[in-house]
Amino acid sequence: MAAIFLLLALLLLSERSLSVPICEAEKYVSALGDGGMRNRNTRIALEAWNFCNEVGSEAPTMGSPRLADCADLSCPILAEDLDQRLGSKCEVYHWVNDTDNKLAAGDKFPVSGFTSYRDPDLFASEKERYLGSLCKVQDNEEEPWFFWMIMLKNGNFDKNSTLCPENGKKVGKIVTGRNFPCFGQGCMNQPLVYHNYSRLIADENGTMHLTGGFNGTYDLDGKGAGKTSFFSVSWKKNVQSGSWVFSNTLTTSTKYPWLMLYIRADAAEGFNGGYHYNGRGMMRKLPESPNFKVKLTLDVKLGGGPNSQFYLIDIGSCWKNNGHPCDGEVLTDVTRYSEMIINPATTSWCRPDNLVSCPPYHTSASGEIIHRNETSRFPYSAYHLYCSPGNAQHLERPYDICDPYSNPQAQELIQILPHREWSVHGYPEKQGDGWIGDSRSWELDVGALSSRLYFYQDPGSKPAKRVWTSINVGTEIYVSNRQETAEWTVSDFDVLVPEQKAISS
Ligand SMILES: *[C@@H]1O[C@H](CO)[C@@H](O)[C@H](O)[C@H]1NC(C)=O
Ligand SMILES: *[C@@H]1O[C@H](CO)[C@@H](O)[C@H](O)[C@H]1NC(C)=O
Ligand SMILES: *[C@@H]1O[C@H](CO)[C@@H](O)[C@H](O)[C@H]1NC(C)=O
Ligand SMILES: *[C@@H]1O[C@H](CO)[C@@H](O)[C@H](O)[C@H]1NC(C)=O
Ligand SMILES: *[C@@H]1O[C@H](CO)[C@@H](O)[C@H](O)[C@H]1NC(C)=O
Ligand SMILES: *[C@@H]1O[C@H](CO)[C@@H](O)[C@H](O)[C@H]1NC(C)=O
């Protein structure tokens, strides 16, 4: 009993010290290379993941599932400033060509400095770094940045395969009572991807812009229409605001009932949420709780059915249970995610009669700690679910362990719902806010909110620095028994951090 009290006291202390008030006078700057999506050039990559955020095996003729569209728009000065009809003289320069995008495991890279791994998982990570080297942007003296990352993930899991570790541990045979979708051998395949390289289009006044897209399907025998799975991401400029508008579609099928499609602002270099390799991304400064904000415009046109966990937004990071930052050692690294799900069909699994799905305690905006068993005060409806990392040693009962297979390492997940507890930070207040027909431009105080969330740490350990390496928006259409489609656009995406406190990635 004494041990539990001590643990609670330590947790109370550590949480309090995190809720430092924000100094409003501080100047915020964009942490992104393409802040607000205003760049005239494209820096966009696509990555596809299997159930445990790896490749497993490549889809036939597709190469390694890492692609990029990095195009510069170049127009004669005169055309831009004086006579816009001269826009026809504009040119597109592509930094990444089809040979690069088709590189497959074992292929030699066109330049030195990259290893041609035969292992498709290792190759994909190397290819991401190679594509990054082609797309890299370095303005003045500032840190380099690379691309927006479009992430596609197939939730099928073949328990007969040994492709995925268990809480980071290699296992010879998967023994679990958990059920996962899988239609049979090969269900964890990578998608077919088609790429419209960015090309010129003129707006009504003859000013030139770029537009392009990726689409595809997981059904290797399908054509991407009818009863097959489908995804599409295309980009064009909102000529009024100057922002890119990313239009997204995701359709599940009987064979692929669980799919995810996000646009991610990842750390420019280093690990990013859910991925244990050195990646390439857009955030040249890493946001740290409690001082950062996220801006974006989100227009949900089709929801994707009752199981579509639409995230406004998903933040991902990694730290060990002792509070140390992750180092790629998958047995002790723990991916930490927090997501607000805005689909109003999503219910609260965290309830007074189901404390197992609640975090041990809630921290109010004023810093007050409310234990989940205080049924008259705990805001159950502010939470969808909470689950604990599978490698935690001192969990408070009752607890649920997060799925041990769907990440390369153990994970912890805290999923929240629109609620007055969170709307003080600019988040949706009630179910339906920001949903279909309610397109909005959000300014989310993600830093303040994320500093209030419960994350597990070993008793007595120094609280982890909550530095976030991935900020994502999109949907996870969770196992659906019928074909579902989600459709949405994202624009004006930005991550703002205090000018001085910015930590280089
Ligand atoms: C594609 O670009 C690579 C270098 O980035 C170059 O080596 C290769 O020749 C190019 N391929 C084509 C078909 O242009
Ligand atoms: C896994 O193996 C079992 C037993 O051999 C078999 O019945 C089942 O169909 C297999 N599952 C897949 C996805 O291949
Ligand atoms: C085109 O030019 C007109 C007149 O200058 C202006 O009102 C309009 O906003 C412009 N449209 C775009 C897309 O820039
Ligand atoms: C490519 O562009 C054409 C014409 O706009 C469109 O029909 C098609 O869906 C696009 N494909 C992709 C992969 O974006
Ligand atoms: C996907 O893109 C391909 C290639 O551009 C195009 O032919 C096809 O129509 C697109 N599919 C859909 C469903 O938009
Ligand atoms: C609530 O949980 C805390 C921490 O486990 C415990 O100390 C307390 O006794 C519990 N209260 C009730 C009423 O069960």
Side-chain angles (χ1 to χ4, degrees), residues 451-472:
S451 69
R452 286 174 55 199
L453 297 174
Y454 171 85
F455 286 103
Y456 171 83
Q457 269 191 235
D458 293 333
S461 60
K462 193 163 157 252
K465 276 189 171 199
R466 298 187 177 184
V467 177
W468 302 93
T469 47
S470 290
I471 314 258
N472 316 318

Side-chain angles (χ1 to χ4, degrees), residues 194-196 215-216 223-225 230 232:
Y194 305 100
H195 182 179
N196 271 348
N215 76 12
K223 300 279 181 287
F230 178 68
S232 162

Side-chain angles (χ1 to χ4, degrees), residues 311-372:
Y311 300 134
L312 174 79
I313 52 177
D314 163 286
I315 55 176
S317 187
C318 191
W319 58 81
K320 294 177 189 283
N321 289 332
N322 64 10
H324 294 175
C326 288
D327 56 10
E329 215 287 304
V330 287
L331 292 178
T332 51
D333 283 355
V334 182
T335 316
R336 320 275 174 163
Y337 292 114
S338 170
E339 301 150 341
M340 176 178 278
I341 305 176
I342 58 166
N343 183 347
T346 310
T347 58
S348 192
W349 294 9
C350 162
R351 290 185 309 268
D353 62 355
N354 193 42
L355 295 186
V356 71
S357 293
C358 305
Y361 60 86
H362 171 78
T363 306
S364 76
S366 61
E368 197 185 354
I369 304 282
I370 304 165
H371 198 271
R372 61 183 168 182

Side-chain angles (χ1 to χ4, degrees), residues 1 4-5 8 371 373-374 396-397:
M1 209 52 191
I4 290 173
F5 277 118
L8 195 61
H371 198 271
N373 62 10
E374 292 181 54
E396 184 175 320
R397 279 167 210 284

Side-chain angles (χ1 to χ4, degrees), residues 73-149:
L73 172 63
S74 129
C75 298
I77 299 286
L78 273 179
E80 282 179 284
D81 295 343
L82 299 173
D83 186 352
Q84 290 176 324
R85 280 166 301 175
L86 282 179
S88 56
K89 294 235 167 68
C90 296
E91 283 174 5
V92 192
Y93 182 80
H94 281 280
W95 295 95
V96 178
N97 64 29
D98 227 33
T99 313
D100 303 317
N101 277 327
K102 284 266 157 34
L103 286 168
D107 284 351
K108 205 169 165 308
F109 287 95
V111 294
S112 61
F114 300 94
T115 311
S116 310
Y117 293 107
R118 293 194 169 277
D119 176 333
D121 297 343
L122 297 175
F123 186 85
S125 151
E126 202 72 354
K127 184 175 176 185
E128 184 170 327
R129 292 200 310 113
Y130 169 66
L131 296 174
S133 72
L134 303 177
C135 299
K136 178 173 171 172
V137 181
Q138 189 144 26
D139 317 311
N140 309 320
E141 300 286 281
E142 299 197 70
E143 304 89 347
W145 56 279
F146 301 89
F147 26 58
W148 293 105
M149 186 57 88

Side-chain angles (χ1 to χ4, degrees), residues 132-382:
S133 72
L134 303 177
C135 299
K136 178 173 171 172
V137 181
Q138 189 144 26
D139 317 311
N140 309 320
E141 300 286 281
E142 299 197 70
E143 304 89 347
W145 56 279
F146 301 89
F147 26 58
W148 293 105
M149 186 57 88
I150 292 159
M151 189 213 78
L152 253 182
K153 178 167 170 172
N154 169 6
N156 282 344
F157 181 37
D158 181 353
K159 288 194 276 185
N160 292 351
S161 78
T162 50
L163 287 169
C164 295
E166 185 177 276
N167 290 316
K169 217 177 294 162
K170 272 276 173 212
V171 284
K173 184 164 171 49
I174 304 283
V175 183
T176 175
R178 295 180 194 238
N179 285 317
F180 300 93
C182 179
F183 57 79
Q185 219 181 2
C187 69
M188 295 173 73
N189 65 286
Q190 296 294 338
L192 301 178
V193 181
Y194 305 100
H195 182 179
N196 271 348
Y197 283 82
S198 287
R199 63 181 189 278
L200 291 166
I201 55 165
D203 67 22
E204 58 185 28
N205 293 341
T207 306
M208 303 307 278
H209 306 274
L210 293 176
T211 184
F214 294 110
N215 76 12
T217 178
Y218 276 96
D219 294 80
L220 299 177
D221 50 357
K223 300 279 181 287
K227 291 248 179 280
T228 53
S229 61
F230 178 68
F231 77 90
S232 162
V233 178
S234 62
W235 48 88
K236 64 173 203 298
K237 279 285 175 184
N238 172 333
V239 293
Q240 260 77 42
S241 70
S243 169
W244 288 111
V245 180
F246 284 85
S247 302
N248 307 273
T249 303
L250 183 65
T251 300
T252 59
S253 67
T254 319
K255 283 166 80 182
Y256 302 92
W258 182 5
L259 296 175
M260 288 147 253
L261 176 64
Y262 310 154
I263 182 158
R264 304 169 56 114
D266 287 328
E269 296 185 28
F271 299 134
N272 49 59
Y275 195 49
H276 63 120
Y277 302 113
N278 188 0
R280 289 292 178 261
M282 176 57 67
M283 290 201 284
R284 51 183 171 188
K285 298 180 170 68
L286 292 182
E288 179 177 347
S289 307
N291 296 318
F292 73 98
K293 297 177 205 287
V294 175
K295 281 189 182 180
L296 77 160
T297 301
L298 175 66
D299 185 358
V300 182
K301 296 168 195 290
L302 275 178
N307 295 340
S308 169
Q309 302 198 333
F310 205 105
Y311 300 134
L312 174 79
I313 52 177
D314 163 286
I315 55 176
S317 187
C318 191
W319 58 81
K320 294 177 189 283
N321 289 332
N322 64 10
H324 294 175
C326 288
D327 56 10
E329 215 287 304
V330 287
L331 292 178
T332 51
D333 283 355
V334 182
T335 316
R336 320 275 174 163
Y337 292 114
S338 170
E339 301 150 341
M340 176 178 278
I341 305 176
I342 58 166
N343 183 347
T346 310
T347 58
S348 192
W349 294 9
C350 162
R351 290 185 309 268
D353 62 355
N354 193 42
L355 295 186
V356 71
S357 293
C358 305
Y361 60 86
H362 171 78
T363 306
S364 76
S366 61
E368 197 185 354
I369 304 282
I370 304 165
H371 198 271
R372 61 183 168 182
N373 62 10
E374 292 181 54
T375 51
S376 61
R377 296 171 66 226
F378 190 93
Y380 299 97
S381 56

